[in-house]
Amino acid sequence: MQYRTVGRTGIKVSSLCFGTMSFGGNADKETSKAMFKRTREAGINFFDCANMYSNGEAEEILGECISDCRDEIVLTSKVFFPTGKDVNAGGLSRRHIMLEVERSLSRLKTDRIDFYFVHKFDATTPIEETLRALDDLQRQGKIIYPAVSNFAAWQIAKALGISAKEQLARFELIQPMYNLVKRQAEVEILPLAESEQMGVITYSPLGGGLLTGKYGVNRKPSEGRIVDQENYTKRYGAQLNFEVAERFTAYAHEHEVHPATLAVAWVMAHPSVTAPIIGARNVEQLEYSLAALDIDMTSKWRDEISGLSITPPPATDRTEEAL
Ligand SMILES: NC(=O)c1ccc[n+]([C@@H]2O[C@H](COP(=O)([O-])OP(=O)(O)OC[C@H]3O[C@@H](n4cnc5c(N)ncnc54)[C@H](OP(=O)(O)O)[C@@H]3O)[C@@H](O)[C@H]2O)c1
């Protein structure tokens, strides 16, 4: 296993992070523990979680898994999405963050979370309030670093500016979606991360299952997240995505690599990505993503694979001059 430093933090993490969104959901406790064991055997020390995964059960299970190795694990959790029906049971207010961090710590059975993510932008709470709450949590030792997911680049840049001006702990790690059919991060997020020396862990390297070989132009499995979950059907349902999946699967077979392995390796090879976050519902699925660790992705290979999907346009229309 290769270990990489997260941005400018000094924390070293495995080049794959394991996501626990399936824990307590489509992976029961026994399967979740088996996956955890397998990832540890592979050398993974980095685990992604969130307060809302399986209504807190993912944190409970992960807490049990890490009970005898907590100090060797780099742990994340997240806050934003509603955890109840109450009008204040969500968002990035100081009130909600302070309440939720205690609940996460208790479910994870630990006294600190290494990277604590704000899960989504909250347009109704001033970002100063959120940043000050995170800064207080860092001073209290309950979180080691604030981190950010699903924000636009301008929102992250604005937050970094406020943190610098107010001398508050800044976001040190970004978690965007990134895979062969969702490449928006290439335009602004990944260049921002490089410019500001931030770590990047990207989620959904397989497009929620789209890039595993089981989807194509006229092919869908009878069960799977993209057919079973409405938000994923919406996210990946465009015909073009299935065309890319078809081309990508053919390319992977031609090169005698499992599509899931190749899809993770493609994400991993981006120079700004610290680690892709892999996800699975059982150990068998997990093996194909872990196999990405053994792929030597040349730049020629990466370019060819990138050519199978649409490269997003640059962030400015004025691109004709060299300088
Ligand atoms: N910050 C955020 O907003 C956010 C959002 C999403 C995820 N995440 C994090 O990122 C992690 C990974 O995300 P993800 O689960 O979306 O990743 P992904 O790798 O794109 O999708 C994983 C899914 O693909 C399918 N799959 C995996 N391996 C397979 C194989 N070999 N053959 C066939 N199907 C296979 C399984 O779903 P089916 O069996 O149902 O097809 C599995 O649950 C999550 O656990 C979570 O920690 C964060």
Side-chain angles (χ1 to χ4, degrees):
M1 177 63 74
Q2 269 187 14
Y3 295 88
R4 296 170 177 173
T5 303
V6 177
R8 55 174 206 183
T9 67
I11 297 188
K12 289 171 189 62
V13 293
S14 45
S15 53
L16 286 179
C17 175
F18 183 56
T20 60
M21 191 166 73
S22 61
F23 281 22
N26 55 23
D28 62 17
K29 194 191 273 196
E30 195 190 336
T31 307
S32 304
K33 287 189 168 179
M35 289 197 285
F36 179 82
K37 185 165 174 278
R38 180 67 190 97
T39 59
R40 292 294 289 147
E41 279 163 11
I44 289 180
N45 73 344
F46 198 10
F47 293 87
D48 184 60
C49 201
N51 64 342
M52 49 95 69
Y53 293 166
S54 307
N55 295 319
E57 208 182 324
E59 286 182 329
E60 293 271 1
I61 298 173
L62 184 58
E64 283 181 33
C65 292
I66 62 172
S67 60
D68 61 353
C69 58
R70 170 64 186 98
D71 294 348
E72 288 139 45
I73 300 295
V74 180
L75 193 62
T76 87
S77 196
K78 312 188 188 81
V79 60
F80 171 81
F81 287 101
T83 50
K85 291 204 172 109
D86 184 72
V87 67
N88 285 307
L92 298 179
S93 67
R94 180 183 187 85
R95 184 180 186 281
H96 184 63
I97 290 174
M98 292 302 181
L99 195 66
E100 280 303 313
V101 79
E102 295 299 340
R103 290 176 173 160
S104 287
L105 287 169
S106 146
R107 287 189 292 253
L108 288 162
K109 297 171 252 311
T110 184
D111 58 356
R112 80 270 178 209
I113 294 164
D114 298 302
F115 291 99
Y116 193 48
F117 281 95
V118 289
H119 208 155
K120 198 168 180 289
F121 186 68
D122 178 354
T124 66
T125 303
I127 189 77
E128 287 85 347
E129 171 169 335
T130 302
L131 293 171
R132 199 164 291 280
L134 295 170
D135 185 76
D136 286 344
L137 287 178
Q138 189 189 55
R139 282 171 204 275
Q140 291 165 10
K142 291 181 181 179
I143 71 169
I144 307 294
Y145 293 109
V148 60
S149 184
N150 297 315
F151 276 35
W154 71 264
Q155 292 162 338
I156 301 174
K158 181 177 170 181
L160 292 178
I162 292 169
S163 295
K165 182 164 168 279
E166 302 295 330
Q167 297 191 321
L168 299 171
R170 70 165 209 168
F171 295 134
E172 298 291 354
L173 179 61
I174 314 181
Q175 183 173 152
M177 182 190 298
Y178 184 50
N179 59 54
L180 189 61
V181 299
K182 296 286 182 185
R183 295 173 56 188
Q184 182 63 38
E186 288 174 12
V187 182
E188 301 238 58
I189 296 270
L190 297 178
L192 169 73
E194 194 185 335
S195 157
E196 299 306 313
Q197 281 183 279
M198 301 169 84
V200 180
I201 55 173
T202 56
Y203 71 82
S204 296
L206 305 178
L210 181 77
L211 302 170
T212 59
K214 61 187 178 188
Y215 294 89
V217 173
N218 293 310
R219 259 177 329 116
K220 281 184 191 143
S222 56
E223 61 165 25
R225 206 190 301 169
I226 295 172
V227 289
D228 298 335
Q229 289 185 29
E230 203 187 329
N231 55 338
Y232 277 84
T233 308
K234 262 193 197 153
R235 195 176 297 169
Y236 289 105
Q239 184 60 16
L240 180 63
N241 292 335
F242 293 100
E243 290 166 17
V244 173
E246 187 85 55
R247 286 198 288 273
F248 174 71
T249 300
Y251 184 94
H253 288 154
E254 235 171 78
H255 290 78
E256 296 177 346
V257 186
H258 191 281
T261 306
L262 197 62
V264 174
W266 179 86
V267 172
M268 213 171 160
H270 192 291
S272 299
V273 171
T274 312
I277 314 172
I278 55 172
R281 64 161 79 206
N282 54 43
V283 175
E284 193 198 345
Q285 285 189 347
L286 176 63
E287 291 298 343
Y288 292 102
S289 290
L290 290 176
L293 292 165
D294 300 322
I295 299 287
D296 183 15
M297 172 77 49
T298 61
S299 52
K300 178 176 174 285
W301 216 11
R302 196 175 194 284
D303 289 349
E304 281 175 11
I305 295 169
S306 303
L308 301 173
S309 72
I310 293 175
T311 301
T316 170
D317 284 332
R318 183 82 185 252
T319 53
E320 60 277 6
E321 292 107 343
L323 284 176

